Amino acid sequence: MINSEAENSKRIVITGLGLISAAGFTTEELWKACTNGESGIKPFSFPGSDFPRIRYAGAVDQFTGKIDDFGPLDPVKSKAIRKGLKLMSREIQMGVASAQRALNDADIEAGSIPSNRLGVSFASDYIITTPEEVQDGMKACKEGDQFDFSRWPSQGLTKMTPIWQLKFLTNMPASHIAIYNEFFGFANAITDRESSIGTVIAEAAEVIRKGKIDLMLVGATGSRIHPFKMIHTLQQDEIADPNLDPAKACRPFDADRTGTVPGEGAGALILEDLDHALARKATIYAEVAGGSCRCATHLRRGRTSGCLLEGDIEKSITLTLSSLLEKTGLDPDKLGHLNAEGFGGQKSDAMEAKAIRAVFGKRADTLPITALKGHLGNPGAGSGALELIASILALKNNALFPILNNEKDDPDCPIHPVREFGGDPGDSFIKLAWQSAGQSSAILVKRYE
């Protein structure tokens, strides 16, 4: 048995980064977008489908789902992944691709570490079937202009390919990653939407501290760009004005913000026991100092613009941040910056900003706040992983990136938004993540010393 003192003394470091985003597939491309204020949000529409309130998105046009998108692979793994592509939806493909890129970045080769000492925890949004997968079955059940549900078991379902469900199960990103890379010590799948990244990292860090696993691959993949999901997005989210310039549409915490922009993408990170990382001479990007996850404790019926009533969200975020500060013993005055969710909605950003203010008090007047959705839109579960990677790159490059399109103060957002590139990112940051169902998470990351 490992005693609790030994468990708590273990240090968890980040040794690999991988991503698939509207800004590109490499950390260099993502950092270039942050440096130059480039937006990956472009005009967008589905062929044959009309969503008049959604005219642009953070789509990853360059991701084709072909094997070249998965980064450098040895011939055996390349063959295995190529064979498995037919079992992956687009979101799963992006998740697996980001994971393989993170493994390559961390210089981890198959068989170099005992498989029972490796684990994976990967998150996703709910993954939903595409219209193309069900259209033949639906046509078979059509009676005039109506759909006859009674005919589906015998006439509709039989038109579906036998493996179609495997393409849309939320545990499949973790499953594929574990199988292709022989990560057999631990595996889990999380479905917590935008707050997912904090959940998987907090869990992974605890698993490593228990001493049974030396290295965990964590990450998240998501998409709001889907014909069925677009309907949910319109019902639940504050949507940006469709008549704006796409590159300026998402304006987190700006007084003139109009809403969020749907996106897609995935990010993955390698978490590792420090001693294990040093023994294999790994490159260390940063250290995970702690994490906290919470949910709104008094959920009420009724929603406001797709979000829970303001008090619920604010309480969830406040509890999460307060718990993180308490667990880590962090002096708020020593925190370098905070990477916020920053959806870009009037109500959502105001709720988040007020919760930050409630926890940090006067420190909120000077605490640099940044956010990334002006660059990428909102990739759902994938957003937190990509935003976390961006702040890790800020530490690495010793420069903080601004909130794209944030130009005008809003009294309803009493925080200190970053508006110029190159400021001091500090020696630590918090990645805050939350979603409208009430879950929130926060991860404290610091420079490795």
Side-chain angles (χ1 to χ4, degrees):
M1 291 289 290
I2 297 175
N3 63 47
S4 58
E5 183 177 350
E7 289 176 11
N8 292 333
S9 67
K10 280 184 174 289
R11 297 173 65 183
I12 313 300
V13 292
I14 298 166
T15 57
L17 306 173
L19 62 102
I20 300 293
S21 80
F25 296 173
T26 67
T27 54
E28 291 80 10
E29 289 173 314
L30 179 62
W31 186 245
K32 178 176 175 289
C34 293
T35 301
N36 298 335
E38 299 171 357
S39 175
I41 298 173
K42 306 177 185 69
F44 178 87
S45 65
F46 287 109
S49 300
D50 185 27
F51 292 90
R53 287 175 54 201
I54 299 177
R55 295 300 190 196
Y56 33 71
V60 188
D61 297 329
Q62 63 272 45
F63 186 82
T64 64
K66 296 181 179 179
I67 197 65
D68 289 346
D69 294 337
F70 290 72
L73 299 169
D74 65 66
V76 174
K77 193 173 296 183
S78 177
K79 181 179 179 180
I81 294 176
R82 187 185 291 109
K83 185 177 180 180
L85 288 174
K86 63 183 178 181
L87 299 176
M88 303 182 203
S89 67
R90 182 173 174 82
E91 287 142 286
I92 296 174
Q93 289 176 352
M94 290 191 295
V96 174
S98 70
Q100 296 306 142
R101 288 173 173 274
L103 288 167
N104 181 69
D105 184 55
D107 196 23
I108 298 171
E109 297 182 3
S112 62
I113 302 171
S115 60
N116 67 333
R117 304 295 299 177
L118 301 170
V120 57
S121 183
F122 216 87
S124 69
D125 292 320
Y126 62 97
I127 304 177
I128 192 169
T129 189
T130 62
E132 291 79 11
E133 295 278 352
V134 298
Q135 63 183 3
D136 289 342
M138 294 181 70
K139 288 178 181 177
C141 300
K142 186 178 179 182
E143 187 68 42
D145 293 332
Q146 300 297 315
F147 179 81
D148 186 350
F149 287 93
S150 66
R151 292 165 58 178
W152 178 256
S154 61
Q155 300 178 44
L157 190 58
T158 57
K159 299 288 185 182
M160 306 291 290
T161 176
I163 61 172
W164 74 275
Q165 282 185 307
L166 293 176
K167 297 174 66 175
F168 307 103
L169 297 174
T170 55
N171 67 319
M172 292 308 288
S175 177
H176 285 293
I177 293 164
I179 292 170
Y180 295 140
N181 299 287
E182 299 184 0
F183 277 41
F184 298 153
F186 179 92
N188 195 22
I190 299 291
T191 308
D192 245 356
R193 290 177 59 173
E194 290 87 355
S195 64
S196 294
I197 190 60
T199 308
V200 296
I201 288 181
E203 175 187 61
E206 288 304 307
V207 170
I208 294 173
R209 288 193 180 101
K210 294 292 183 182
K212 296 182 179 181
I213 297 292
D214 296 318
L215 182 149
M216 286 280 293
L217 188 152
V218 301
T221 182
S223 175
R224 294 298 174 84
I225 304 175
H226 185 290
F228 294 147
K229 285 189 178 182
M230 286 290 196
I231 297 172
H232 299 162
T233 296
L234 289 168
Q235 292 173 333
Q236 299 173 358
D237 297 338
E238 299 172 89
I239 304 300
D241 184 344
N243 299 309
L244 296 173
D245 175 355
K248 296 183 177 297
C250 189
R251 312 179 65 85
F253 302 109
D254 184 80
D256 295 329
R257 64 192 182 278
T258 62
T260 193
V261 173
E264 61 180 351
L269 305 93
I270 305 298
L271 268 58
E272 196 167 353
D273 173 69
L274 174 61
D275 292 338
H276 188 269
L278 292 174
R280 69 179 191 89
K281 299 180 181 179
T283 297
I284 297 176
Y285 286 100
E287 181 174 354
V288 176
S292 177
C293 309
R294 288 290 186 274
C295 182
T297 55
H298 300 289
L299 303 185
R300 292 171 283 177
R301 292 174 182 253
R303 287 171 175 258
T304 303
S305 298
C307 294
L308 292 169
L309 298 178
E310 287 88 330
D312 295 317
I313 289 293
E314 289 179 37
K315 186 167 186 178
S316 176
I317 298 172
T318 300
L319 286 171
T320 297
L321 289 173
S322 298
S323 173
L324 181 64
L325 294 181
E326 181 179 355
K327 287 170 64 175
T328 60
L330 175 68
D331 180 348
D333 289 332
K334 300 291 180 63
L335 180 64
H337 71 275
L338 187 148
N339 189 316
E341 190 69 59
F343 285 110
Q346 281 287 337
K347 293 183 180 297
S348 60
D349 285 7
M351 288 188 286
E352 182 175 10
K354 290 174 182 176
I356 293 170
R357 184 82 191 190
V359 173
F360 286 93
K362 290 185 178 180
R363 171 63 173 138
D365 291 333
T366 56
L367 175 63
I369 304 292
T370 191
L372 206 65
K373 289 185 174 63
H375 294 273
L376 307 178
N378 179 18
S383 61
L386 293 170
E387 291 156 7
L388 177 65
I389 290 171
S391 273
I392 292 172
L393 295 177
L395 293 187
K396 175 187 175 184
N397 293 286
N398 203 34
L400 190 55
F401 56 92
I403 301 176
L404 188 62
N405 302 322
N406 184 287
E407 301 170 352
K408 185 178 179 182
D409 289 338
D410 181 1
D412 288 337
C413 296
I415 56 173
H416 180 59
V418 179
R419 289 185 176 142
E420 294 183 2
F421 178 80
D424 183 7
D427 294 324
S428 63
F429 70 87
I430 289 174
K431 171 54 200 155
L432 173 62
W434 64 274
Q435 58 120 328
S436 62
Q439 287 91 345
S440 59
S441 67
I443 296 294
L444 175 62
V445 177
K446 64 181 183 180
R447 292 184 191 272
Y448 167 67
E449 297 176 340

